[in-house]
Amino acid sequence: MANSSVQAIPNLILTTAKQGVKTTCPYCGVGCGVQVRNENEKMSLVGDAKHPANFGKLCIKGKNLLDTIDNSNRMPMPIVNNEEATWDNALDYVADGFKQCIEKYGPDSVAFYVSGQLLTEDYYVANKLMKGFIGSANIDTNSRLCMSSAVAAHKRAFGEDVVPMSYSDITKSDLIVICGSNLAWCHPIIYKRIREEKAKRANLKVVVIDPRYTASCEIADLHLAIAAGGDLVLFNGLLNYLANQGLIEAELLNSNDQGLTRALELAAIDSEKLSAIGLSQHSILKFFELFAESEKVVTLFSQGINQAEQGVDQGNAIINCHIASAKIGKQGSGPFSITGQPNAMGGREVGALCNTLAGHIEFNDSHLYPALEGFWHTKNIARKPGLKAVELFDAMDNGTIKAIWIMATNPALSMPDINKVTSALAKCPLVVVSDCVANNDTLAFANVKLPAHSWGEKSGTVTNSERRISRQRGFLTPFGHAKADWWIISQVAMRMGFKDAFNYQHESEIFAEHSALSGLANNGSRAFDISAFKKITQQQYSDFTPIQWPQCDSHSKVINDQLLFADKQFYTPSKKAQLIAVQSNKFNSNTSDIDRAVFTLNTGRLRDHWHTQTRTAKSALLSNHYPEPLVEINPQDAQALAITDQSLVSLKSRLGEVVVRASISSLQKMGNVFMPIHWTSLQSAQGGVCQIIEPIVDPISGQPAFKHSQVSMSAFASGSEALLLVRERLTQQFGFYQVEQKVEQGYCYHIASNKPPRMLLEHLQIFIKTLLDNTEPSVWAEDDKGCYYRYCYYQNGGVEAGIFVGEKKVELPQGWISHFFQQDNNNLAKRQVLTANVEAMSQQKIFCQCLKISYDQVTQALKTTANIDKIRELTGAGNGCGSCIGDISLLLAVNNHASNLYYDAAISRVELKAAALAG
Ligand code: SF4
């Protein structure tokens, strides 16, 4: 077991339970089970071997969860107007504020903005309060930003938001298409399952459709480096191909389905654009043939499809191909939307998207209103959809929304056009934020701050991407006076006058009610039915084991691998699946889709960080993978703009500017740049990508198009760069650019300044002298030209601070810096810090975190072989959690310059292999 998975935790409440607590990872939608144990007053964490999502495996983020548990940046008490308050006072203040607003301006003047980090029980009471008792549908979740397009596509095709797939389908499939997802980094355990399956079955083919060469391409037989926004044309082209080959399901053809006719017409029109989406004819044909010839196909899709101007249409184009070729309703076959957040699916179940009423009951199910009123004992049910996320903040900006409650999310950073969002928050008379942190970009605007439970303290349920409901269980004493979200919401609801409906004593009561509601007047009319749990007791809830929905009251339980739509019965009025006619509005011959003066900005996630780093920034190990916000640029684009690797770059849109580090990579497509989403003003004032993203949304789902913004780019000059290492977090700013990185036993600040190196050094020296009570540097080195400096400060036999200054970032020792405070206190070690060459120091950066294999070891192995498994054998890298296997493939791709072939000629890996054989 890696050291990082064993921690001494001060507020551990488990004392002797050897078997520990089974809970779920709080990061991605894979929903892995973890087991936390108390072993000799040290907490350990391992994957839950019995959890069907992961069977004991964890990725690097899950494996290092304990690293991220501490009580820094927590709020012990509620805060009202900047003063600590009792819970009674704070809850009264919130309830009175919302009541007054509703009385004066009506129910639509208030709103809740909630989160996929909430548990289903929290979500349920928030939705019940807003839609059932306040009488407005102004509740939307941040899941709107990641998968609401898939939700809308499901509803259009299936009549209900149903993901029909299970992870086990991967093991039964002939072809897996990974589309708009860097699965290897964003959903690593699903990726690992595919990788293992592919190693077992040589005939399992994998196609990756992504503008970039990502870590996921390592297992691809065919990588289609498609032009941004080309997916709709590609899948319409596939539908047209299936029709031309006579491969449309006979039953569908014979039914004279009008949806099919129209969908085929538009698919034929879009097929004319196939030559414009950046792929060779041969690659496209290869993909079409693979799809057509494979009996069982799983198409995994995620944010790359959903976060687009036509995200819903893109989802339906994928689903159309599966319906038309009868590749759905069979084990190993179907469209599989992978959710981003741990409980995005739970939010969808309760109705926390503003356009669903509750429990998969829609607003147009008006015949169910009386039943729902009876169930909730209310007469005040919302009758129309509320405002979607972007609309909601627009309404706040124009004064329509006068009170908002934001729960467990940070919209001041994560929404598009954050300048507008922050302006709206500043104008809103009542901003309530409940969260497990004390400071973030959004909390800065809150009149009322409510301390909520964090992961490890929370108790409830979550639903993962394969519809599997699992328990999250608490194993820590809640910090200070923090409370469960469901408790906070219920207390406010009772103070607003709804005592009987919200008088819950335990989260299991909420789960039972939610389960009962799912069965309300259902009788098979809605797939989401978990009424089997409507009488669940507290003990049964405590013992709850992971299970997929549906779980109807009347059926016996099927725990795993439930096959939906096998009977070809869907939830549309006709009970048939609907083909939706969709057409791309891009790549039209009479318009120019490519303006060479601007770049298409693609956004996404890195391997070791999660969303806004609330948790992962606390881990030195996770922070060291990518310590700074960056932009990935193709070498030819960089050369044309005189941008060098690791220099600073300005990206601008109409809305603003960000300054980030250049990462020049031949794996990036020309004309496109990529930026990760993770940096907030807490770590970097300059790196928040949402500052430059236009609030363009899909017209149906309202999901922002985070994937295809247009930006300009230029080199950004600095006078000097520095690394400042200190034991404690700083609030001071030393340059126009500054990024905080957690390192082992301290912090590293990456600084860029307009000053020349000598002046920046002096500035930092003065600061350190003050910080360390006039301590002088113990060892230092300078170059002859006065441009490069290394200073180390020792106190009481240990290193306490370090300053490294140069003209350029590439001159500074990076990667190695993560272990600065762990260096030996002997003369040899001190001399090495001063004399070692930067390249050698950087090569000491850890590549494989589990087994502590350095970059140097891996790059040495790369010189001897290009075989990933051989490199693993030689070095051990990738033999722990496996998260770095994709990184080996990225190093290989760059080393071999193979990536240029992928992009320049759109030659697929299959083609390359074929060419090699022919040669
Ligand atoms: Fe957590 Fe997702 Fe990693 Fe599983 S794959 S351990 S759920 S981050």
Side-chain angles (χ1 to χ4, degrees):
M1 189 185 300
N3 288 339
S4 53
S5 59
V6 182
Q7 300 279 322
I9 306 284
N11 56 350
L12 176 69
I13 55 166
L14 284 176
T15 50
T16 53
K18 268 198 179 151
Q19 78 281 13
V21 166
K22 286 191 172 187
T23 182
T24 46
C25 173
Y27 293 124
C28 81
V30 181
C32 297
V34 298
Q35 197 165 2
V36 184
R37 296 197 193 106
N38 179 9
E39 289 168 1
N40 303 325
E41 299 192 17
K42 294 232 167 144
M43 188 144 49
S44 69
L45 181 145
V46 291
D48 176 359
K50 291 199 173 145
H51 198 293
N54 59 316
F55 296 108
K57 297 186 177 82
L58 293 174
C59 77
I60 188 85
K61 290 191 288 288
K63 195 164 179 168
N64 290 286
L65 265 167
L66 296 186
D67 239 13
T68 68
I69 296 179
D70 68 24
N71 287 329
S72 61
N73 198 20
R74 294 292 301 272
M75 223 188 311
M77 295 286 291
I79 295 171
V80 178
N81 294 325
N82 299 319
E83 302 271 339
E84 277 199 347
T86 63
W87 268 109
D88 268 342
N89 289 347
L91 294 166
D92 282 343
Y93 189 95
V94 176
D96 289 349
F98 271 79
K99 258 166 63 180
Q100 283 171 24
C101 210
I102 293 162
E103 279 161 21
K104 205 163 170 190
Y105 304 105
D108 288 334
S109 66
V110 301
F112 294 165
Y113 186 62
V114 296
S115 162
Q117 291 287 326
L118 291 180
L119 305 183
T120 301
E121 291 74 3
D122 308 323
Y123 257 140
Y124 177 84
V125 286
N127 189 59
K128 178 180 174 182
L129 173 57
M130 182 55 79
K131 293 195 187 129
F133 290 81
I134 290 176
S136 168
N138 282 344
I139 172 170
D140 212 31
T141 162
N142 64 2
S143 304
R144 172 76 58 199
L145 311 183
C146 65
M147 51 78 226
S148 57
S149 291
V151 170
H154 292 149
K155 286 184 185 177
R156 292 206 298 185
F158 308 144
E160 187 175 341
D161 174 24
V162 178
V163 176
M165 310 298 291
S166 304
Y167 297 153
S168 60
D169 284 306
I170 288 163
T171 57
K172 294 162 190 150
S173 178
D174 303 317
L175 169 67
I176 295 174
V177 181
I178 302 170
C179 187
S181 162
N182 182 5
L183 208 64
W185 280 12
C186 301
H187 298 94
I189 294 300
I190 301 181
Y191 177 77
K192 194 166 183 179
R193 198 152 170 177
I194 298 173
R195 196 176 189 282
E196 287 171 358
E197 189 61 24
K198 193 159 165 56
K200 277 190 244 161
R201 284 196 289 137
N203 59 346
L204 170 63
K205 294 281 179 275
V206 175
V207 175
V208 173
I209 303 169
D210 197 311
R212 293 191 302 148
Y213 182 96
T214 66
S216 305
C217 295
E218 181 243 329
I219 55 165
D221 296 285
L222 179 64
H223 169 216
L224 298 177
I226 195 167
D231 306 86
L232 182 43
V233 170
L234 183 69
F235 279 93
N236 259 349
L238 173 59
L239 184 62
N240 185 55
Y241 174 85
L242 295 170
N244 290 341
Q245 297 298 312
L247 295 172
I248 303 291
E249 194 196 8
E251 200 179 310
L252 198 59
L253 276 178
N254 297 337
S255 69
N256 200 18
D257 186 302
Q258 289 308 300
L260 173 67
T261 308
R262 186 67 185 137
L264 290 179
E265 280 170 13
L266 296 189
I269 294 169
D270 261 5
S271 297
E272 301 294 321
K273 301 178 186 169
L274 280 169
S275 59
I277 59 171
L279 303 172
S280 72
Q281 243 185 333
H282 183 79
S283 301
I284 293 171
L285 185 61
K286 187 75 205 163
F287 168 53
F288 290 176
E289 285 172 353
L290 273 173
F291 191 99
E293 289 163 6
S294 304
E295 191 193 334
K296 289 174 281 177
V297 181
V298 172
T299 306
L300 291 151
F301 64 101
S302 191
Q303 268 86 324
I305 293 297
N306 300 333
Q307 291 177 334
E309 282 171 76
Q310 287 187 282
V312 182
D313 287 349
Q314 294 195 143
N316 280 115
I318 292 169
I319 295 169
N320 281 350
C321 293
H322 279 271
I323 296 171
S325 58
K327 291 179 171 44
I328 190 168
K330 296 174 185 168
Q331 299 278 8
S333 220
F336 199 163
S337 154
I338 302 293
T339 50
Q341 296 203 72
N343 198 28
M345 184 80 89
R348 288 148 72 170
E349 289 161 6
V350 305
L353 287 163
C354 67
N355 49 327
T356 298
L357 189 48
H360 282 209
I361 298 172
E362 300 294 333
F363 280 98
N364 54 14
D365 293 329
S366 50
H367 61 287
L368 294 178
Y369 285 12
L372 188 56
E373 281 176 344
F375 184 85
W376 273 344
H377 304 291
T378 180
K379 290 282 174 208
N380 204 22
I381 286 190
R383 292 290 199 268
K384 61 177 175 30
L387 298 169
K388 299 184 178 108
V390 170
E391 298 168 340
L392 196 153
F393 285 93
D394 282 350
M396 206 187 307
D397 196 46
N398 70 28
T400 313
I401 297 288
K402 298 183 189 305
I404 185 153
W405 187 347
I406 297 164
M407 305 177 197
T409 182
N410 188 6
L413 178 92
S414 54
M415 290 287 293
D417 193 359
I418 51 178
N419 292 334
K420 189 168 188 183
V421 171
T422 50
S423 139
L425 286 165
K427 286 179 198 166
C428 188
L430 178 59
V431 177
V432 179
V433 179
S434 42
D435 212 323
C436 62
V437 294
N439 285 304
N440 67 22
D441 311 65
T442 305
L443 276 154
F445 296 92
N447 310 94
V448 183
K449 303 173 185 178
L450 303 174
H453 284 173
S454 181
W455 182 79
E457 299 166 359
K458 282 171 183 259
S459 172
T461 55
V462 290
T463 309
N464 72 1
S465 294
E466 59 165 355
R467 311 183 319 278
R468 186 176 302 283
I469 302 169
S470 302
R471 282 295 317 274
Q472 257 194 27
R473 295 180 173 92
F475 53 90
L476 297 170
T477 308
F479 176 71
H481 295 269
K483 298 284 187 190
D485 286 281
W486 67 261
W487 182 89
I488 302 171
I489 302 158
S490 301
Q491 287 292 320
V492 168
M494 290 197 286
R495 285 157 207 255
M496 288 177 75
F498 314 123
K499 188 162 194 312
D500 292 345
F502 289 88
N503 195 12
Y504 302 110
Q505 303 303 310
H506 191 268
E507 54 273 19
S508 62
E509 296 167 17
I510 304 168
F511 183 73
E513 185 179 312
H514 166 55
S515 304
L517 193 153
S518 73
L520 183 72
N522 192 327
N523 304 317
S525 62
R526 301 187 302 280
F528 178 65
D529 185 340
I530 54 166
S531 51
F533 303 114
K534 68 183 179 190
K535 291 184 182 157
I536 195 166
T537 63
Q538 205 167 313
Q539 187 58 50
Q540 288 166 333
Y541 185 78
S542 173
D543 298 339
F544 192 92
T545 51
I547 193 164
Q548 278 185 302
W549 63 257
Q551 295 297 337
C552 313
D553 200 13
S554 50
H555 296 177
S556 55
K557 287 189 177 69
V558 179
I559 313 256
N560 298 321
D561 312 336
Q562 284 205 48
L563 181 58
L564 297 186
F565 306 145
D567 57 1
K568 298 192 179 177
Q569 292 296 294
F570 293 81
Y571 296 90
T572 58
S574 66
K575 302 287 173 213
K576 291 179 182 161
Q578 302 290 326
L579 278 104
I580 307 298
V582 291
Q583 185 175 17
S584 171
N585 59 19
K586 296 179 96 133
F587 308 103
N588 297 318
S589 54
N590 56 352
T591 61
S592 168
D593 286 302
I594 301 167
D595 179 348
R596 296 288 173 204
V598 296
F599 291 83
T600 299
L601 169 64
N602 179 8
T603 64
R605 297 185 207 157
L606 297 173
R607 192 192 75 189
D608 292 0
H609 274 310
W610 176 253
H611 282 195
T612 57
Q613 298 192 43
T614 308
R615 210 182 308 276
T616 53
K618 293 179 176 178
S619 164
L621 188 146
L622 297 176
S623 298
N624 206 31
H625 190 227
Y626 282 95
E628 290 178 89
L630 59 103
V631 59
E632 206 174 274
I633 311 166
N634 176 280
Q636 292 179 51
D637 288 332
Q639 194 179 19
L641 295 170
I643 293 168
T644 53
D645 197 38
Q646 296 192 52
S647 63
L648 290 173
V649 172
S650 154
L651 293 172
K652 282 185 192 157
S653 76
R654 183 184 63 87
L655 301 173
E657 177 182 19
V658 295
V659 177
V660 291
R661 195 64 65 189
S663 170
I664 297 176
S665 168
S666 55
L667 309 181
Q668 181 59 251
K669 207 172 164 75
M670 271 184 76
N672 289 241
V673 292
F674 171 82
M675 256 189 85
I677 59 171
H678 307 293
W679 275 269
T680 74
S681 63
L682 289 186
Q683 305 100 19
S684 148
Q686 299 85 1
V689 69
C690 292
Q691 290 178 63
I692 54 171
I693 292 182
E694 296 272 357
I696 297 168
V697 297
D698 178 284
I700 300 162
S701 68
Q703 177 159 358
F706 281 111
K707 293 293 178 186
H708 312 139
S709 295
Q710 303 292 297
V711 296
S712 63
M713 182 166 65
S714 59
F716 196 94
S718 66
S720 54
E721 300 252 11
L723 299 173
L724 172 67
L725 289 124
V726 285
R727 290 283 185 178
E728 301 294 332
R729 271 185 101 173
L730 302 178
T731 51
Q732 294 86 345
Q733 187 84 14
F734 300 98
F736 64 83
Y737 172 94
Q738 186 163 312
V739 178
E740 178 185 285
Q741 176 195 356
K742 178 80 184 80
V743 297
E744 299 292 350
Q745 297 165 29
Y747 292 86
C748 175
Y749 292 85
H750 300 249
I751 298 162
S753 163
N754 292 323
K755 295 175 179 157
R758 176 92 224 167
M759 281 179 71
L760 178 58
L761 172 76
E762 285 167 4
H763 185 153
L764 297 175
Q765 280 181 310
I766 292 167
F767 171 76
I768 292 292
K769 215 168 167 181
T770 321
L771 191 75
L772 300 182
D773 298 330
N774 285 326
T775 299
E776 295 291 342
S778 314
V779 291
W780 69 91
E782 302 183 4
D783 70 334
D784 294 343
K785 292 186 214 150
C787 296
Y788 186 62
Y789 308 91
R790 294 181 186 183
Y791 276 62
C792 288
Y793 296 77
Y794 289 80
Q795 247 184 6
N796 308 324
V799 63
E800 282 302 310
I803 302 173
F804 296 80
V805 180
E807 285 182 305
K808 294 185 182 138
K809 188 64 185 264
V810 286
E811 297 167 346
L812 306 178
Q814 299 163 70
W816 160 89
I817 216 82
S818 185
H819 296 93
F820 178 80
F821 290 108
Q822 294 177 314
Q823 57 185 286
D824 291 335
N825 181 28
N826 59 43
N827 287 339
L828 179 65
K830 287 175 186 170
R831 202 173 314 122
Q832 278 176 346
V833 171
L834 300 183
T835 57
N837 101 16
V838 165
E839 176 62 24
M841 289 170 109
S842 298
Q843 283 292 310
Q844 290 173 34
K845 178 174 175 176
I846 298 297
F847 182 91
C848 171
Q849 305 292 355
C850 303
L851 302 172
K852 304 287 177 245
I853 314 291
S854 71
Y855 266 82
D856 188 44
Q857 289 167 277
V858 177
T859 47
Q860 291 305 327
L862 277 168
K863 288 176 188 162
T864 64
T865 176
N867 180 303
I868 291 178
D869 290 327
K870 189 80 188 151
I871 292 165
R872 292 176 64 190
E873 200 182 304
L874 285 170
T875 63
N879 295 338
C881 74
S883 292
C884 64
I885 295 172
D887 293 43
I888 302 175
S889 81
L890 293 178
L891 284 180
L892 271 171
V894 172
N895 272 12
N896 297 338
H897 301 289
S899 52
N900 288 332
L901 292 176
Y902 286 116
Y903 295 119
D904 293 347
I907 293 176
S908 73
R909 191 159 163 171
V910 164
E911 287 169 310
L912 286 173
K913 281 177 187 166
L917 285 175

